[in-house]
Amino acid sequence: MGVDYYKILQVEKNANDDELKKAYRKLAMRWHPDKNPNNKKEAEAKFKQISEAYEVLSDPQKRTIYDQYGEEGLKGQVPPPNAGGAGGSTFFSTGDMPSSFRFNPRNADDIFAEFFGFSSPFGGMGGGGGMRGASRMGSMFGDDVFASFGDNRPMSSGPRKAAPIEQKLPCSLEELYKGVTKKMKISREISDASGKTLPVQEILTIDIKPGWKKGTKITFPEKGNEQPNVIPSDLVFIVDEKPHNLFTRDGNDLIFTHKVTLAEALTGCTVNISTLDGRTLTVPVSAVINPNYEEVVPGEGMPLPKDPTKRGNLRIKFNIKFPTRLTADQKSDSEGTSPHS
């Protein structure tokens, strides 16, 4: 089963919500990293384990998957019973990619902040500054601020924003050259007026503009799962460039490598290139080609993202094939063209 979440929270397998909350409250107070400045590394690891265990066991769907399939089911090796997921579970699919389940444990401080109303009651003591999003408000109450909480009296605060969910968006070089519209199907959970969560599916339309580069981000605000007292995550798609069999990209330039013989390198050649938009370029090369030589064709590179009417350059590099041996005639010809002859 892998990780034993029940053992981490020190509860029985039939523990109810109140028992889970009580266990989490006790252990989170004990192992919060800001309360353990002299043992921060171990405390952070335990705090993260405790938070992940509580996230799974307090969510009925995750707990069902865990009880049936173990940690492997949560981490995507076994498909879940439904297509929706709460918390950090998100489902993506495209026309050429099967649906997949991925459980991403939420940030431990986010869970703590949602439970108690703030993320660090110690104000980042010990010089560590607390974990991500740590609050400075707690230091005025002293180190025993947790003692003021009853079992059923967690502090409240305004809704927090869940961390963004990122997904790579593979694009071919042709798609980034010409632009393309992609459809992404997502499954998520929304809350109705009564607070009940319902699974829904949506189709998101992504317009890839000509010239976009690897790493370009497209954000869909608040398209993550809806949860009480939480502003849903933003879904962020990140452009990823697929390798191309002819071209490589260098900023707004395209690089094409052409093989030539030694004779062509010395006497000139003609290079025929099929462009990304289906044209054929014929490029005559009359210069003597050395291993570092580049023939530049202006305006035949990638479109500029801010002005697609303009383009970078096409840079032709050369791979010179040297003969393994020369005939007597070739040696004679070579000597005749030698500058020392």
Side-chain angles (χ1 to χ4, degrees):
M1 179 177 282
V3 176
D4 189 338
Y5 291 132
Y6 294 99
K7 185 176 181 180
I8 290 173
L9 278 189
Q10 301 174 16
V11 296
E12 300 294 330
K13 291 192 175 182
N14 60 352
N16 58 32
D17 286 346
D18 288 339
E19 291 170 330
L20 292 172
K21 289 178 181 178
K22 186 175 181 179
Y24 172 74
R25 181 179 291 109
K26 175 184 175 182
L27 293 170
M29 289 190 294
R30 179 188 302 170
W31 288 106
H32 194 287
D34 285 345
K35 196 176 182 181
N36 296 270
N38 298 324
N39 193 22
K40 203 171 186 70
K41 188 172 183 180
E42 180 185 3
E44 286 180 350
K46 287 185 176 293
F47 186 65
K48 183 178 179 181
Q49 284 185 332
I50 292 162
S51 301
E52 183 175 327
Y54 178 72
E55 178 187 4
V56 171
L57 298 183
S58 63
D59 182 279
Q61 186 192 35
K62 294 191 186 77
R63 187 172 179 176
T64 298
I65 297 172
Y66 174 75
D67 287 342
Q68 186 173 358
Y69 299 108
E71 184 189 10
E72 294 81 2
L74 286 170
K75 298 299 172 66
Q77 297 175 16
V78 180
N82 296 305
S89 305
T90 305
F91 303 83
F92 297 95
S93 64
T94 62
D96 56 357
M97 186 183 302
S99 299
S100 60
F101 173 76
R102 181 181 71 250
F103 165 60
N104 292 322
R106 290 166 53 201
N107 179 273
D109 260 349
D110 289 345
I111 296 172
F112 187 94
E114 181 179 335
F115 192 94
F116 289 104
F118 53 84
S119 59
S120 176
F122 308 105
M125 291 173 56
M131 294 180 71
R132 181 169 70 90
S135 167
R136 300 284 176 178
M137 63 177 282
S139 58
M140 68 182 72
F141 298 107
D143 289 2
D144 294 328
V145 62
F146 282 129
S148 65
F149 294 112
D151 283 355
N152 296 310
R153 292 185 292 138
M155 290 182 65
S156 61
S157 64
R160 63 174 179 82
K161 177 81 172 191
I165 300 171
E166 296 186 342
Q167 175 79 2
K168 285 186 178 181
L169 183 63
C171 298
S172 68
L173 201 54
E174 285 85 355
E175 290 172 335
L176 296 175
Y177 183 88
K178 294 181 286 187
V180 68
T181 297
K182 288 181 174 283
K183 305 285 187 180
M184 298 290 291
K185 183 171 76 173
I186 65 168
S187 298
R188 66 188 188 111
E189 288 197 346
I190 62 172
S191 299
D192 61 16
S194 67
K196 181 180 179 181
T197 57
L198 303 171
V200 296
Q201 292 188 339
E202 295 183 40
I203 303 295
L204 303 180
T205 300
I206 304 175
D207 290 322
I208 305 296
K209 303 299 183 183
W212 275 9
K213 299 176 181 178
K214 179 178 180 179
T216 300
K217 294 184 177 183
I218 308 99
T219 300
F220 290 86
E222 300 181 15
K223 284 296 184 179
N225 294 312
E226 295 182 1
Q227 306 169 67
N229 300 319
V230 179
I231 300 173
S233 301
D234 294 342
L235 294 187
V236 182
F237 294 94
I238 304 176
V239 171
D240 192 26
E241 184 180 298
K242 297 178 183 178
H244 196 271
N245 62 336
L246 293 179
F247 298 100
T248 56
R249 184 176 183 176
D250 182 12
N252 295 318
D253 291 348
L254 287 174
I255 299 175
F256 177 82
T257 301
H258 181 67
K259 293 182 180 180
V260 293
T261 64
L262 180 58
E264 289 174 323
L266 295 172
T267 61
C269 63
T270 299
V271 182
N272 295 313
I273 304 172
S274 296
T275 65
L276 293 173
D277 56 357
R279 294 173 293 118
T280 299
L281 289 180
T282 300
V283 183
V285 181
S286 57
V288 174
I289 300 171
N290 62 59
N292 297 319
Y293 178 79
E294 286 187 1
E295 183 78 16
V296 177
V297 184
E300 288 293 348
M302 294 294 292
L304 275 59
K306 293 183 178 180
D307 185 1
T309 62
K310 299 179 180 178
R311 287 179 166 80
N313 297 326
L314 171 62
R315 291 154 48 194
I316 305 173
K317 295 187 176 183
F318 296 90
N319 183 0
I320 304 171
K321 183 179 180 181
F322 289 89
T324 56
R325 62 176 61 87
L326 294 176
T327 65
D329 290 341
Q330 288 173 326
K331 289 180 181 180
S332 177
D333 291 340
S334 175
E335 291 172 355
T337 58
S338 170
H340 300 293
S341 59

